[in-house]
Amino acid sequence: MQESIRQFDNYIKESGVSDNTRQAYIRDVRQLKSFLEEHGHMILADVGEAELTEYIEMLHGSGKSAATISRSIASVRKFFSFTCVKGYTFSDPSADLKAPKVIRKSPSVISDREIRKLISVPDITTVKGIRDRAMLELITSTGIGATELTELRVEDVDLAALTVTVGSSRRSISVSKRSAEAMKSYMKVRKKLIGDAENDCGIFFLSCAGEKLTRQGFWKIVRTNGKKAGISEITPQILRHSFAVSALRHGKDAASLQRILGHSSKAGTMEYQSMATSG
C-alpha cells in the first residue's frame, strides 16, 4: 500500500494542485492506511466498501466534523480512482461512500478595534517582536493568506512602491504606509536572524533560527499574540476574513477585493459583501 500512496503523491503533484491540497490528500490517505493495517487489512486489493464504511464510522465516532469527514471521503475517492486506473485494485470500493451534509457557517471575523489591539501586542524592543508586528501589519492590511505570507521572498517586496507580489498568480498588492514602516523596521534586524549572510534563503519572514518560517509556525504566532490580546478565536484565515469585510465597509469595491484576495470567482467576495452590509 505504501508504494501506491507514493505513486499517488506523484500523480497529485503532477495534477497542478497546491502543495497544501496535495498534503491534505496524502495525510487523509495515510490515516486510512494506518486504520486498515491496525484492523488487519494489509492488501489494498482486498479493501472493500465494508472496510471503508467502518473507517468513516470511526471518524464519526472520534468526533470529526462533517467538513473533515467530507474532505477525507473526497481524498479516499480520489485515491481509489487512481488505484483503479493503475490496476492496483479491480474496482472502486469508495464509489458509494456517502459524505455527511456540511452546514456552511459564515466566516468568523474580528473587529477593527481587536485588530489594532492584536498588532500592538508584539514587543518591538526585540527582533522577534519586530518581525511579528511586521507580519501582523502585513496580513491585516492586505488579506494575503498564511502560505502567501510565509513564502514571500525578499525580491517580492518593494517598500518604495508600497507593494508586495504574492501567490502563484504573482498578483501585486498595495501595502499601507504603516505596514511598510513595520516591514522596514523588520528588514533592519532581519540580518540578525540570518547570522551568516551566505546562508540567506531569500525568504522575507524568517524563523528565529534564520530559516523559512513554516505555515504552522505562523499560525502559532497569530494564536499566541491573539491570546495576549484577549481574542479567544483567531487564526490567519480569520484575519483574512476580517480584512475583507472591513475593506468593503470602508468603501472598497467587490471587484477590487476579489483581485486582492486572488479569488477566481465572485462567490467568496459576495459572501463578504453580505456580511459587510449586514454587520
Side-chain angles (χ1 to χ4, degrees):
M1 192 178 297
Q2 184 61 41
E3 175 60 19
S4 61
I5 293 176
R6 187 188 68 79
Q7 292 198 27
F8 177 62
D9 191 12
N10 291 334
Y11 163 73
I12 294 297
K13 287 179 183 176
E14 294 171 359
S15 70
V17 301
S18 71
D19 192 54
N20 287 338
T21 299
R22 179 188 66 80
Q23 290 180 25
Y25 278 134
I26 300 305
R27 183 169 57 250
D28 290 338
V29 173
R30 283 177 176 162
Q31 183 176 331
L32 170 64
K33 172 180 176 291
S34 296
F35 172 85
L36 292 172
E37 291 179 348
E38 286 173 6
H39 289 74
H41 308 299
M42 311 300 290
I43 301 175
L44 184 62
D46 291 343
V47 177
E49 183 178 349
E51 287 75 26
L52 295 184
T53 299
E54 186 180 356
Y55 173 65
I56 300 304
E57 290 176 349
M58 181 277 293
L59 294 179
H60 279 288
S62 63
K64 299 295 184 184
S65 68
T68 296
I69 295 172
S70 293
R71 191 206 66 214
S72 296
I73 290 175
S75 299
V76 170
R77 283 175 174 164
K78 195 166 189 69
F79 174 64
F80 278 102
S81 175
F82 168 79
T83 62
C84 278
V85 171
K86 289 295 184 180
Y88 297 131
T89 53
F90 302 110
S91 60
D92 183 354
S94 69
D96 293 326
L97 289 179
K98 298 293 190 294
K101 183 177 181 180
V102 178
I103 301 175
R104 182 175 174 82
K105 298 179 180 179
S106 295
S108 297
V109 298
I110 60 177
S111 67
D112 290 349
R113 182 186 62 81
E114 288 174 309
I115 290 290
R116 291 192 295 270
K117 190 173 182 181
L118 173 69
I119 291 171
S120 70
V121 167
D123 178 5
I124 57 173
T125 65
T126 67
V127 173
K128 182 179 183 299
I130 293 171
R131 181 205 63 184
D132 290 359
R133 178 169 293 188
M135 289 192 294
L136 294 174
E137 285 277 13
L138 180 61
I139 194 171
T140 57
S141 67
T142 61
I144 64 175
T147 299
E148 292 174 335
L149 183 142
T150 56
E151 293 184 352
L152 189 70
R153 300 187 64 81
V154 173
E155 61 263 29
D156 296 331
V157 177
D158 188 342
L159 296 179
L162 299 179
T163 61
V164 293
T165 302
V166 301
S168 57
S169 61
R170 307 304 296 157
R171 65 189 191 280
S172 179
I173 301 175
S174 297
V175 301
S176 67
K177 290 183 179 179
R178 177 170 167 168
S179 295
E181 288 303 317
M183 293 168 75
K184 286 177 183 177
S185 295
Y186 164 70
M187 277 302 291
K188 291 177 182 178
V189 300
R190 180 179 176 275
K191 58 185 177 183
K192 294 183 180 180
L193 296 175
I194 302 169
D196 184 353
E198 293 181 2
N199 294 326
D200 190 345
C201 64
I203 293 295
F204 189 79
F205 290 113
L206 301 172
S207 70
C208 292
E211 300 171 348
K212 177 183 177 181
L213 183 68
T214 65
R215 189 169 179 268
Q216 291 76 15
F218 178 58
W219 273 64
K220 184 176 180 180
I221 289 167
V222 169
R223 289 188 174 181
T224 298
N225 284 284
K227 185 177 181 180
K228 291 179 180 178
I231 305 171
S232 58
E233 184 182 3
I234 186 168
T235 65
Q237 192 68 8
I238 287 176
L239 295 181
R240 181 172 163 88
H241 297 327
S242 302
F243 160 80
V245 173
S246 179
L248 290 169
R249 285 176 177 167
H250 286 84
K252 180 73 69 176
D253 65 273
S256 295
L257 181 63
Q258 180 181 340
R259 186 197 66 78
I260 291 170
L261 296 177
H263 286 170
S264 57
S265 71
K266 296 180 180 179
T269 311
M270 294 308 295
E271 185 170 18
Y272 292 135
Q273 184 81 64
S274 177
M275 294 175 67
T277 55
S278 64

